[in-house]
Amino acid sequence: MKIFTYIIFLVAAILIGVNVMMLDFKNLFEGDSLVALIGILAILCAVVIWLIFRVSKTIDEKLKKQS
């Protein structure tokens, strides 16, 4: 499961990098730049959700060990 997590984070980092390269800072909210911004926000949301899931799994494992 940890290897899968690292692969997901690596893919997310690559996708964020690709989307940052697509940004046009002069026209940030127009055309491809807007699509890139939406992509970056979506990837960041997915990473945050995945981190919450990992923390909840860790807490669940610790609670099971205490019982």
Side-chain angles (χ1 to χ4, degrees):
M1 186 71 165
K2 280 190 174 186
I3 295 173
F4 180 70
T5 303
Y6 293 135
I7 291 171
I8 293 294
F9 284 133
L10 179 65
V11 170
I14 291 170
L15 287 173
I16 288 174
V18 168
N19 282 326
V20 167
M21 289 182 183
M22 289 178 59
L23 290 176
D24 179 20
F25 292 104
K26 292 181 182 177
N27 298 322
L28 198 57
F29 296 108
E30 295 179 6
D32 288 339
S33 292
L34 182 62
V35 174
L37 281 175
I38 292 169
I40 291 169
L41 288 175
I43 294 166
L44 290 175
C45 288
V47 167
V48 168
I49 290 170
W50 188 257
L51 287 172
I52 291 170
F53 174 72
R54 292 291 301 157
V55 169
S56 69
K57 282 292 192 185
T58 304
I59 292 170
D60 187 41
E61 290 172 3
K62 287 182 181 182
L63 287 175
K64 285 182 180 179
K65 286 181 183 179
Q66 287 180 355
S67 295

